[in-house]
Amino acid sequence: MKLLVTGGAGFIGSAVVRLAVARGHEVVNLDAMTYAACAENIASVATSNLYSFEQADIRDRAALSRIFATHQPEVVMHLAAESHVDRSIDGPGDFIETNITGTFNMLEAARAFWVEKGKPASFRFHHISTDEVFGSLGETGQFTETTSYDPRSPYSASKAASDHLVRAWHETYGLPVVLTNCSNNYGPYHFPEKLIPVTILNALHGRPIPVYGAGENVRDWLYVEDHADALLTVVEKGAVGRSYNIGGENEARNIDIVRTICSLLDDMHPQGAPHERLITFVTDRPGHDARYAIDPQRIRTELGWRPSVTLEQGLRQTVRWYLDNEAWWQPLLERQGVGQRLGVKA
Ligand SMILES: NC(=O)c1ccc[n+]([C@@H]2O[C@H](COP(=O)([O-])OP(=O)(O)OC[C@H]3O[C@@H](n4cnc5c(N)ncnc54)[C@H](O)[C@@H]3O)[C@@H](O)[C@H]2O)c1
């Protein structure tokens, strides 16, 4: 397959690019290289003759048309987005422009290309989204593909809007789309502004580990390489017009994730142990969703996908990766906003 992957220099996109190339797919990576991108994420495939890179912004419709015409993709995997909830609270405008207008541009460029090619039935526009579009759960229940949308942050609202556009382009124009909504990812190459890398790196530096509120918020964690595998499964086997929830059935409270990482570090990097002494409770995020949980039965039963690692295994592998890859994360600590408390405006 020839894939056009947007956001392929980010956390999840780069995992998709690495896996797709390893499986013999041709990949064109379209990325604007924002603060969240990192060329090192795709260094391992950069010289492969299956791989090419286009630095472009999905807000630039003309650039998208040129890239479709040049590369003639069979499948689009659209991951490019502004992705950090805290940044969306401080500056929602970028989220509207990239996540909504950018997705609109991608749909229009893809549709024009697909029409020009004679509407091949095998073409796919795969839109990668989040479980955050479904809002916040109480103590019980799980999100299914038919759960009503109820986004509560500028980030999740912008992703919900993009999901609606993708469905509308299928219903109205017949564009062959598939959608996925995934739970929280973690693993190698995770940008050091999100909970798990912040915890690992602050613990390593002996700095306070910030936990929002009482740390009671529950997330459903999935190892990023398992997500990449699920996304390629959906591209290959998913039914047109259908959406799939992706999750690892690994619910955990934030405070428990942080404590587990501290105890892994006590074992793997005993200097500074016990790392738990660094845990510091800070003012909660405004509108912080209480609980997310994914019911992954559709992707499991219809497409036969399941995750390969448990949360415990994945966290151990992740901590090991950060211990071994200081050359990757050290320069990122200098980027704008990293290490600062963001998203406290209310
Ligand atoms: N991280 C998660 O836990 C998670 C969970 C479910 C779904 N998702 C979705 O998966 C996708 C990827 O998430 P991520 O965590 O890898 O994000 P990320 O922030 O690590 O990477 C986003 C990438 O998109 C690029 N990008 C941003 N704006 C762009 C623009 N205007 N034009 C072109 N490229 C642009 C960035 O340069 C970056 O490389 C997003 O759509 C996100 O909503 C993320």
Side-chain angles (χ1 to χ4, degrees):
M1 277 189 303
K2 183 160 189 178
L3 310 173
L4 173 62
V5 177
T6 72
F11 169 49
I12 302 171
S14 67
V16 170
V17 169
R18 294 189 302 271
L19 185 64
V21 169
R23 291 190 180 166
H25 299 300
E26 254 184 278
V27 176
V28 181
N29 177 10
L30 186 170
D31 199 298
M33 303 305 286
T34 69
Y35 82 94
C38 197
E40 286 71 24
N41 294 9
I42 17 90
S44 63
V45 298
T47 56
S48 166
N49 53 16
L50 292 172
Y51 176 78
S52 52
F53 177 67
E54 289 277 1
Q55 182 159 359
D57 196 308
I58 60 170
R59 292 170 293 187
D60 179 353
R61 172 65 211 283
L64 302 184
S65 299
R66 176 185 61 74
I67 290 166
F68 272 92
T70 305
H71 294 284
Q72 308 269 315
E74 293 162 306
V75 170
V76 176
M77 297 181 76
H78 176 41
L79 295 99
E82 289 291 340
S83 71
H84 189 36
V85 176
D86 289 341
R87 288 185 191 255
S88 84
I89 294 167
D90 291 343
D94 287 346
F95 288 72
I96 304 303
E97 287 173 16
T98 284
N99 298 359
I100 305 178
T101 308
T103 299
F104 162 69
N105 287 336
M106 283 298 299
L107 286 165
E108 281 295 80
R111 181 167 74 92
F113 170 74
W114 174 68
V115 168
E116 193 189 298
K117 297 308 276 178
K119 300 189 176 180
S122 58
F123 185 80
R124 289 289 177 280
F125 187 102
H126 179 182
H127 179 62
I128 285 82
S129 192
T130 165
D131 62 354
E132 300 189 30
V133 299
F134 299 121
S136 183
L137 289 165
E139 282 180 14
T140 57
Q142 290 181 314
F143 300 131
T144 71
E145 289 79 1
T146 56
T147 300
S148 299
Y149 276 36
D150 185 22
R152 294 155 35 95
S153 75
Y155 164 67
S156 55
S158 69
K159 291 297 290 186
S162 67
D163 292 13
H164 293 323
L165 291 175
V166 172
R167 287 198 175 87
W169 260 241
H170 173 61
E171 297 296 337
T172 307
Y173 305 111
L175 189 69
V177 308
V178 281
L179 294 91
T180 49
N181 295 87
C182 187
S183 58
N184 280 49
N185 283 218
Y186 70 99
Y189 303 99
H190 205 180
F191 195 76
E193 64 181 354
K194 308 270 173 94
L195 175 70
I196 288 178
V198 164
T199 301
I200 298 170
L201 298 186
N202 282 25
L204 281 180
H205 288 113
R207 287 201 286 256
I209 300 169
V211 174
Y212 292 180
E216 297 287 334
N217 307 66
V218 172
R219 300 292 179 259
D220 187 351
W221 294 93
L222 181 66
Y223 195 60
V224 67
E225 291 171 10
D226 281 332
H227 188 196
D229 178 50
L231 296 178
L232 288 175
T233 303
V234 169
V235 153
E236 282 167 14
K237 302 199 231 163
V240 170
R242 202 151 171 80
S243 74
Y244 299 87
N245 281 0
I246 306 173
E249 294 184 293
N250 279 316
E251 281 186 56
R253 295 185 309 164
N254 288 348
I255 186 65
D256 295 328
I257 290 285
V258 170
R259 288 203 176 109
T260 303
I261 291 170
C262 287
S263 112
L264 284 166
L265 279 170
D266 291 349
D267 177 31
M268 296 159 84
H269 182 84
Q271 299 93 305
H275 294 90
E276 264 201 45
R277 73 192 156 78
L278 299 167
I279 292 175
T280 309
F281 295 96
V282 299
T283 315
D284 208 352
R285 169 189 284 165
H288 203 177
D289 290 340
R291 176 172 166 261
Y292 306 139
I294 283 273
D295 174 354
Q297 287 320 309
R298 179 178 286 179
I299 189 167
R300 286 195 177 206
T301 54
E302 294 183 14
L303 307 186
W305 173 85
R306 56 184 51 245
S308 68
V309 295
T310 63
L311 181 57
E312 201 182 10
Q313 291 166 329
L315 282 176
R316 182 171 281 277
Q317 284 171 215
T318 303
V319 171
R320 183 74 264 156
W321 189 88
Y322 279 87
L323 288 173
D324 293 343
N325 287 280
E326 182 173 349
W328 178 83
W329 51 258
Q330 188 64 253
L332 302 181
L333 302 181
E334 304 303 318
R335 292 199 183 173
Q336 183 266 325
V338 175
Q340 292 167 20
R341 179 67 204 270
L342 304 173
V344 280
K345 280 184 202 158

